[in-house]
Amino acid sequence: MLWFAFLRLIGLLTTLLAASLVIFVVLEVIPGDPAEVMLGLNAQPDTLAALRAELGLNAPVTTRYINWVLGMLQGDFGISYTYSVPVAELIGERIQISLPLATGALILSTIIAIPIGVYSARYHGKLIDTGIMSVAQIGIAIPNFWIAILLVYVFAIVLRVLPSGGFPGWEVSFFGSLQALILPVVALALPQASILARVMRSALLDVLHEDYIRTARAKGLSNKATLWRHGVRNALIPVLTILGLQFSFLIAGTVIIENLFYLPGLGRLIFQGITQRDLIVVKSSVMLLVALTIFVTFLVDIAYAAIDPRLRRRV
């Protein structure tokens, strides 16, 4: 197991290095000069040159890339062109919103989807199974921003039990901050729960036709015990794959949801950085999201090996 984890860790570090190169190259070729954005189109050439030198934009591309990577390894993400404060400080403030938002949505979607998928598989071919899968299909088809609008209309405008947007801050009001995240979390979680429920159902139906399931039943184990003790555990491998992918989607989906609910999270920071050509903020923020996604993938691989020992033997 340790050797398996070590090899996966090497792959993680290699992927991070490749991702940093891609992010840097893509953002460097985007048209537009951050110095011109900051000073305006009527700025004098000598003023622009001085600002470019101050921001380090005159250095060769390779030098800027190496300095950026080495800085991140030391916890130095650079200074924001727009806000003139350390990028690490901006990210630290914003991720306190984005990470609970994405994590809460992932947990909620899992809590909803796993029991529903198992229940639907247990009653495969019956009316309840058809109804559940029809609702799940509708959940997949509706985008999360449309669900968010409906949630705001029902719970914020009609019932007036939850806020429609904004974020008071954890230090100002912990309970108020939790309330502000309820609707965004639900809006992000429902489409993902629909996908996960269908995957859980399909995976479990495949497992229930395996020989060891028939053997367990032949030994006198009840259908319910066979389902949960042998079926669900072996059906979790494809579900874990989807969970890893969903975390990436949820992190990316916060850009839309945070702008819709006026949440000052990391997604909104990236959006503002793109519009303001604050490249150092965009590069560092996106790199952090990529690192989180790769780390979650690493945890999913370890969970694979823990659930199915055969994967460890293939290393």
Side-chain angles (χ1 to χ4, degrees), residues 58-92:
N58 289 337
V61 174
T62 53
T63 302
R64 297 207 303 271
Y65 172 72
I66 293 174
N67 291 337
W68 176 56
V69 172
L70 292 178
M72 286 192 298
L73 292 176
Q74 299 172 6
D76 180 11
F77 291 87
I79 303 297
S80 169
Y81 302 156
T82 303
Y83 302 100
S84 299
V85 298
V87 177
E89 183 179 322
L90 288 174
I91 292 177

mmCIF file of all heavy atoms in Angstrom, residues 58-92:
data_model
loop_
_atom_site.group_PDB
_atom_site.id
_atom_site.type_symbol
_atom_site.label_atom_id
_atom_site.label_comp_id
_atom_site.label_asym_id
_atom_site.label_seq_id
_atom_site.Cartn_x
_atom_site.Cartn_y
_atom_site.Cartn_z
ATOM 1 N N ASN A 58 9.172 42.792 -17.663
ATOM 2 C CA ASN A 58 10.216 42.931 -18.668
ATOM 3 C C ASN A 58 11.185 41.754 -18.668
ATOM 4 O O ASN A 58 12.000 41.623 -19.577
ATOM 5 C CB ASN A 58 11.011 44.229 -18.443
ATOM 6 C CG ASN A 58 10.182 45.460 -18.785
ATOM 7 O OD1 ASN A 58 9.231 45.377 -19.559
ATOM 8 N ND2 ASN A 58 10.526 46.596 -18.208
ATOM 9 N N ALA A 59 11.109 40.917 -17.660
ATOM 10 C CA ALA A 59 12.011 39.769 -17.574
ATOM 11 C C ALA A 59 11.640 38.725 -18.622
ATOM 12 O O ALA A 59 10.488 38.666 -19.077
ATOM 13 C CB ALA A 59 11.942 39.161 -16.171
ATOM 14 N N PRO A 60 12.600 37.900 -19.031
ATOM 15 C CA PRO A 60 12.288 36.823 -19.990
ATOM 16 C C PRO A 60 11.209 35.887 -19.449
ATOM 17 O O PRO A 60 11.041 35.739 -18.235
ATOM 18 C CB PRO A 60 13.629 36.090 -20.130
ATOM 19 C CG PRO A 60 14.666 37.088 -19.729
ATOM 20 C CD PRO A 60 14.029 37.948 -18.684
ATOM 21 N N VAL A 61 10.501 35.255 -20.375
ATOM 22 C CA VAL A 61 9.383 34.383 -19.998
ATOM 23 C C VAL A 61 9.856 33.244 -19.096
ATOM 24 O O VAL A 61 9.213 32.924 -18.092
ATOM 25 C CB VAL A 61 8.686 33.824 -21.254
ATOM 26 C CG1 VAL A 61 7.622 32.797 -20.866
ATOM 27 C CG2 VAL A 61 8.058 34.947 -22.059
ATOM 28 N N THR A 62 10.970 32.623 -19.444
ATOM 29 C CA THR A 62 11.474 31.501 -18.638
ATOM 30 C C THR A 62 11.813 31.946 -17.214
ATOM 31 O O THR A 62 11.550 31.228 -16.246
ATOM 32 C CB THR A 62 12.708 30.880 -19.300
ATOM 33 O OG1 THR A 62 13.676 31.913 -19.553
ATOM 34 C CG2 THR A 62 12.339 30.210 -20.613
ATOM 35 N N THR A 63 12.393 33.151 -17.099
ATOM 36 C CA THR A 63 12.731 33.669 -15.770
ATOM 37 C C THR A 63 11.485 33.906 -14.947
ATOM 38 O O THR A 63 11.428 33.583 -13.746
ATOM 39 C CB THR A 63 13.538 34.969 -15.899
ATOM 40 O OG1 THR A 63 14.715 34.722 -16.665
ATOM 41 C CG2 THR A 63 13.925 35.512 -14.537
ATOM 42 N N ARG A 64 10.444 34.468 -15.592
ATOM 43 C CA ARG A 64 9.205 34.730 -14.864
ATOM 44 C C ARG A 64 8.551 33.424 -14.412
ATOM 45 O O ARG A 64 8.011 33.344 -13.310
ATOM 46 C CB ARG A 64 8.236 35.530 -15.739
ATOM 47 C CG ARG A 64 8.736 36.907 -16.140
ATOM 48 C CD ARG A 64 7.600 37.875 -16.413
ATOM 49 N NE ARG A 64 6.691 37.416 -17.430
ATOM 50 C CZ ARG A 64 6.846 37.667 -18.744
ATOM 51 N NH1 ARG A 64 7.909 38.353 -19.162
ATOM 52 N NH2 ARG A 64 5.972 37.244 -19.615
ATOM 53 N N TYR A 65 8.616 32.399 -15.277
ATOM 54 C CA TYR A 65 8.018 31.110 -14.908
ATOM 55 C C TYR A 65 8.757 30.479 -13.730
ATOM 56 O O TYR A 65 8.122 30.027 -12.760
ATOM 57 C CB TYR A 65 8.035 30.161 -16.109
ATOM 58 C CG TYR A 65 7.614 28.751 -15.758
ATOM 59 C CD1 TYR A 65 6.288 28.453 -15.470
ATOM 60 C CD2 TYR A 65 8.558 27.718 -15.682
ATOM 61 C CE1 TYR A 65 5.899 27.168 -15.132
ATOM 62 C CE2 TYR A 65 8.185 26.436 -15.355
ATOM 63 C CZ TYR A 65 6.849 26.168 -15.074
ATOM 64 O OH TYR A 65 6.469 24.893 -14.732
ATOM 65 N N ILE A 66 10.062 30.461 -13.796
ATOM 66 C CA ILE A 66 10.848 29.856 -12.722
ATOM 67 C C ILE A 66 10.630 30.610 -11.407
ATOM 68 O O ILE A 66 10.452 30.003 -10.340
ATOM 69 C CB ILE A 66 12.343 29.818 -13.105
ATOM 70 C CG1 ILE A 66 12.558 28.862 -14.281
ATOM 71 C CG2 ILE A 66 13.191 29.394 -11.907
ATOM 72 C CD1 ILE A 66 13.964 28.867 -14.835
ATOM 73 N N ASN A 67 10.651 31.937 -11.476
ATOM 74 C CA ASN A 67 10.428 32.735 -10.257
ATOM 75 C C ASN A 67 9.045 32.483 -9.679
ATOM 76 O O ASN A 67 8.869 32.442 -8.449
ATOM 77 C CB ASN A 67 10.619 34.219 -10.563
ATOM 78 C CG ASN A 67 12.061 34.572 -10.857
ATOM 79 O OD1 ASN A 67 12.981 33.852 -10.450
ATOM 80 N ND2 ASN A 67 12.282 35.668 -11.565
ATOM 81 N N TRP A 68 8.060 32.341 -10.564
ATOM 82 C CA TRP A 68 6.688 32.092 -10.105
ATOM 83 C C TRP A 68 6.587 30.745 -9.395
ATOM 84 O O TRP A 68 6.015 30.646 -8.304
ATOM 85 C CB TRP A 68 5.740 32.153 -11.299
ATOM 86 C CG TRP A 68 4.319 31.819 -10.983
ATOM 87 C CD1 TRP A 68 3.525 32.406 -10.053
ATOM 88 C CD2 TRP A 68 3.524 30.788 -11.612
ATOM 89 N NE1 TRP A 68 2.280 31.824 -10.060
ATOM 90 C CE2 TRP A 68 2.248 30.841 -11.001
ATOM 91 C CE3 TRP A 68 3.757 29.876 -12.621
ATOM 92 C CZ2 TRP A 68 1.225 29.980 -11.377
ATOM 93 C CZ3 TRP A 68 2.737 29.022 -13.000
ATOM 94 C CH2 TRP A 68 1.482 29.073 -12.374
ATOM 95 N N VAL A 69 7.136 29.682 -10.000
ATOM 96 C CA VAL A 69 7.065 28.348 -9.396
ATOM 97 C C VAL A 69 7.840 28.303 -8.085
ATOM 98 O O VAL A 69 7.344 27.785 -7.070
ATOM 99 C CB VAL A 69 7.607 27.287 -10.385
ATOM 100 C CG1 VAL A 69 7.713 25.928 -9.693
ATOM 101 C CG2 VAL A 69 6.702 27.185 -11.606
ATOM 102 N N LEU A 70 9.058 28.853 -8.073
ATOM 103 C CA LEU A 70 9.855 28.852 -6.847
ATOM 104 C C LEU A 70 9.163 29.663 -5.743
ATOM 105 O O LEU A 70 9.215 29.288 -4.565
ATOM 106 C CB LEU A 70 11.247 29.416 -7.125
ATOM 107 C CG LEU A 70 12.157 28.556 -8.024
ATOM 108 C CD1 LEU A 70 13.483 29.259 -8.262
ATOM 109 C CD2 LEU A 70 12.370 27.178 -7.413
ATOM 110 N N GLY A 71 8.532 30.755 -6.135
ATOM 111 C CA GLY A 71 7.803 31.559 -5.154
ATOM 112 C C GLY A 71 6.645 30.795 -4.539
ATOM 113 O O GLY A 71 6.433 30.843 -3.320
ATOM 114 N N MET A 72 5.892 30.066 -5.376
ATOM 115 C CA MET A 72 4.763 29.292 -4.849
ATOM 116 C C MET A 72 5.228 28.200 -3.897
ATOM 117 O O MET A 72 4.568 27.925 -2.894
ATOM 118 C CB MET A 72 3.961 28.673 -6.003
ATOM 119 C CG MET A 72 3.111 29.670 -6.771
ATOM 120 S SD MET A 72 1.938 28.854 -7.884
ATOM 121 C CE MET A 72 3.059 28.009 -8.984
ATOM 122 N N LEU A 73 6.373 27.578 -4.203
ATOM 123 C CA LEU A 73 6.903 26.547 -3.323
ATOM 124 C C LEU A 73 7.260 27.111 -1.953
ATOM 125 O O LEU A 73 7.242 26.394 -0.947
ATOM 126 C CB LEU A 73 8.131 25.891 -3.958
ATOM 127 C CG LEU A 73 7.869 25.047 -5.204
ATOM 128 C CD1 LEU A 73 9.184 24.538 -5.800
ATOM 129 C CD2 LEU A 73 6.936 23.879 -4.899
ATOM 130 N N GLN A 74 7.577 28.412 -1.904
ATOM 131 C CA GLN A 74 7.919 29.070 -0.644
ATOM 132 C C GLN A 74 6.725 29.790 -0.020
ATOM 133 O O GLN A 74 6.868 30.477 0.994
ATOM 134 C CB GLN A 74 9.057 30.068 -0.878
ATOM 135 C CG GLN A 74 10.331 29.426 -1.402
ATOM 136 C CD GLN A 74 11.374 30.428 -1.820
ATOM 137 O OE1 GLN A 74 11.202 31.637 -1.628
ATOM 138 N NE2 GLN A 74 12.465 29.954 -2.407
ATOM 139 N N GLY A 75 5.546 29.638 -0.643
ATOM 140 C CA GLY A 75 4.357 30.308 -0.121
ATOM 141 C C GLY A 75 4.200 31.736 -0.587
ATOM 142 O O GLY A 75 3.325 32.461 -0.089
ATOM 143 N N ASP A 76 5.020 32.166 -1.553
ATOM 144 C CA ASP A 76 4.952 33.528 -2.075
ATOM 145 C C ASP A 76 4.300 33.481 -3.457
ATOM 146 O O ASP A 76 4.922 33.048 -4.426
ATOM 147 C CB ASP A 76 6.354 34.128 -2.164
ATOM 148 C CG ASP A 76 6.335 35.559 -2.713
ATOM 149 O OD1 ASP A 76 5.227 36.141 -2.814
ATOM 150 O OD2 ASP A 76 7.415 36.080 -3.046
ATOM 151 N N PHE A 77 3.056 33.933 -3.551
ATOM 152 C CA PHE A 77 2.321 33.904 -4.815
ATOM 153 C C PHE A 77 2.434 35.218 -5.584
ATOM 154 O O PHE A 77 1.778 35.386 -6.602
ATOM 155 C CB PHE A 77 0.844 33.588 -4.558
ATOM 156 C CG PHE A 77 0.602 32.186 -4.084
ATOM 157 C CD1 PHE A 77 0.659 31.870 -2.737
ATOM 158 C CD2 PHE A 77 0.330 31.167 -4.973
ATOM 159 C CE1 PHE A 77 0.450 30.579 -2.281
ATOM 160 C CE2 PHE A 77 0.113 29.870 -4.542
ATOM 161 C CZ PHE A 77 0.176 29.576 -3.190
ATOM 162 N N GLY A 78 3.232 36.133 -5.094
ATOM 163 C CA GLY A 78 3.401 37.406 -5.772
ATOM 164 C C GLY A 78 2.490 38.488 -5.214
ATOM 165 O O GLY A 78 1.742 38.264 -4.251
ATOM 166 N N ILE A 79 2.551 39.649 -5.842
ATOM 167 C CA ILE A 79 1.756 40.807 -5.438
ATOM 168 C C ILE A 79 0.714 41.089 -6.516
ATOM 169 O O ILE A 79 1.027 41.138 -7.715
ATOM 170 C CB ILE A 79 2.641 42.059 -5.236
ATOM 171 C CG1 ILE A 79 3.738 41.784 -4.206
ATOM 172 C CG2 ILE A 79 1.786 43.248 -4.799
ATOM 173 C CD1 ILE A 79 3.241 41.473 -2.821
ATOM 174 N N SER A 80 -0.516 41.278 -6.102
ATOM 175 C CA SER A 80 -1.596 41.562 -7.044
ATOM 176 C C SER A 80 -1.361 42.893 -7.749
ATOM 177 O O SER A 80 -1.019 43.894 -7.115
ATOM 178 C CB SER A 80 -2.937 41.599 -6.310
ATOM 179 O OG SER A 80 -3.967 42.112 -7.122
ATOM 180 N N TYR A 81 -1.533 42.897 -9.077
ATOM 181 C CA TYR A 81 -1.376 44.133 -9.848
ATOM 182 C C TYR A 81 -2.466 45.139 -9.488
ATOM 183 O O TYR A 81 -2.228 46.348 -9.466
ATOM 184 C CB TYR A 81 -1.462 43.838 -11.352
ATOM 185 C CG TYR A 81 -0.453 42.848 -11.866
ATOM 186 C CD1 TYR A 81 -0.698 42.117 -13.034
ATOM 187 C CD2 TYR A 81 0.748 42.623 -11.202
ATOM 188 C CE1 TYR A 81 0.221 41.201 -13.521
ATOM 189 C CE2 TYR A 81 1.668 41.699 -11.686
ATOM 190 C CZ TYR A 81 1.394 40.998 -12.842
ATOM 191 O OH TYR A 81 2.302 40.090 -13.325
ATOM 192 N N THR A 82 -3.662 44.637 -9.204
ATOM 193 C CA THR A 82 -4.818 45.510 -8.985
ATOM 194 C C THR A 82 -4.925 45.967 -7.536
ATOM 195 O O THR A 82 -5.133 47.156 -7.264
ATOM 196 C CB THR A 82 -6.112 44.775 -9.384
ATOM 197 O OG1 THR A 82 -6.009 44.347 -10.740
ATOM 198 C CG2 THR A 82 -7.316 45.689 -9.230
ATOM 199 N N TYR A 83 -4.788 45.024 -6.607
ATOM 200 C CA TYR A 83 -5.029 45.338 -5.193
ATOM 201 C C TYR A 83 -3.755 45.732 -4.446
ATOM 202 O O TYR A 83 -3.826 46.209 -3.309
ATOM 203 C CB TYR A 83 -5.671 44.141 -4.492
ATOM 204 C CG TYR A 83 -6.974 43.713 -5.116
ATOM 205 C CD1 TYR A 83 -7.032 42.627 -5.985
ATOM 206 C CD2 TYR A 83 -8.152 44.392 -4.850
ATOM 207 C CE1 TYR A 83 -8.225 42.221 -6.565
ATOM 208 C CE2 TYR A 83 -9.356 43.995 -5.420
ATOM 209 C CZ TYR A 83 -9.381 42.911 -6.278
ATOM 210 O OH TYR A 83 -10.563 42.523 -6.855
ATOM 211 N N SER A 84 -2.582 45.495 -5.053
ATOM 212 C CA SER A 84 -1.284 45.829 -4.440
ATOM 213 C C SER A 84 -1.108 45.192 -3.067
ATOM 214 O O SER A 84 -0.534 45.781 -2.157
ATOM 215 C CB SER A 84 -1.132 47.362 -4.334
ATOM 216 O OG SER A 84 -1.171 47.957 -5.606
ATOM 217 N N VAL A 85 -1.607 43.989 -2.914
ATOM 218 C CA VAL A 85 -1.430 43.209 -1.696
ATOM 219 C C VAL A 85 -0.964 41.815 -2.113
ATOM 220 O O VAL A 85 -1.140 41.409 -3.271
ATOM 221 C CB VAL A 85 -2.739 43.114 -0.873
ATOM 222 C CG1 VAL A 85 -3.197 44.486 -0.425
ATOM 223 C CG2 VAL A 85 -3.836 42.434 -1.683
ATOM 224 N N PRO A 86 -0.349 41.056 -1.205
ATOM 225 C CA PRO A 86 0.076 39.694 -1.553
ATOM 226 C C PRO A 86 -1.088 38.833 -2.041
ATOM 227 O O PRO A 86 -2.167 38.846 -1.455
ATOM 228 C CB PRO A 86 0.662 39.160 -0.240
ATOM 229 C CG PRO A 86 1.086 40.379 0.504
ATOM 230 C CD PRO A 86 0.080 41.443 0.157
ATOM 231 N N VAL A 87 -0.845 38.099 -3.133
ATOM 232 C CA VAL A 87 -1.881 37.230 -3.683
ATOM 233 C C VAL A 87 -2.260 36.146 -2.678
ATOM 234 O O VAL A 87 -3.432 35.752 -2.591
ATOM 235 C CB VAL A 87 -1.396 36.595 -5.005
ATOM 236 C CG1 VAL A 87 -2.440 35.620 -5.546
ATOM 237 C CG2 VAL A 87 -1.110 37.676 -6.038
ATOM 238 N N ALA A 88 -1.290 35.669 -1.911
ATOM 239 C CA ALA A 88 -1.581 34.649 -0.902
ATOM 240 C C ALA A 88 -2.614 35.145 0.106
ATOM 241 O O ALA A 88 -3.470 34.381 0.567
ATOM 242 C CB ALA A 88 -0.296 34.243 -0.184
ATOM 243 N N GLU A 89 -2.546 36.432 0.426
ATOM 244 C CA GLU A 89 -3.516 37.005 1.356
ATOM 245 C C GLU A 89 -4.908 37.024 0.746
ATOM 246 O O GLU A 89 -5.907 36.701 1.417
ATOM 247 C CB GLU A 89 -3.074 38.419 1.725
ATOM 248 C CG GLU A 89 -3.962 39.118 2.742
ATOM 249 C CD GLU A 89 -3.473 40.514 3.083
ATOM 250 O OE1 GLU A 89 -2.234 40.686 3.165
ATOM 251 O OE2 GLU A 89 -4.317 41.409 3.261
ATOM 252 N N LEU A 90 -4.998 37.409 -0.533
ATOM 253 C CA LEU A 90 -6.292 37.420 -1.223
ATOM 254 C C LEU A 90 -6.873 36.012 -1.304
ATOM 255 O O LEU A 90 -8.059 35.799 -1.021
ATOM 256 C CB LEU A 90 -6.126 37.989 -2.635
ATOM 257 C CG LEU A 90 -5.870 39.482 -2.774
ATOM 258 C CD1 LEU A 90 -5.585 39.836 -4.230
ATOM 259 C CD2 LEU A 90 -7.049 40.287 -2.260
ATOM 260 N N ILE A 91 -6.030 35.048 -1.697
ATOM 261 C CA ILE A 91 -6.494 33.667 -1.821
ATOM 262 C C ILE A 91 -6.927 33.123 -0.466
ATOM 263 O O ILE A 91 -7.954 32.434 -0.347
ATOM 264 C CB ILE A 91 -5.395 32.789 -2.436
ATOM 265 C CG1 ILE A 91 -5.155 33.192 -3.897
ATOM 266 C CG2 ILE A 91 -5.764 31.311 -2.352
ATOM 267 C CD1 ILE A 91 -4.025 32.431 -4.569
ATOM 268 N N GLY A 92 -6.151 33.435 0.583
ATOM 269 C CA GLY A 92 -6.501 32.962 1.914
ATOM 270 C C GLY A 92 -7.856 33.461 2.374
ATOM 271 O O GLY A 92 -8.612 32.734 3.028
#
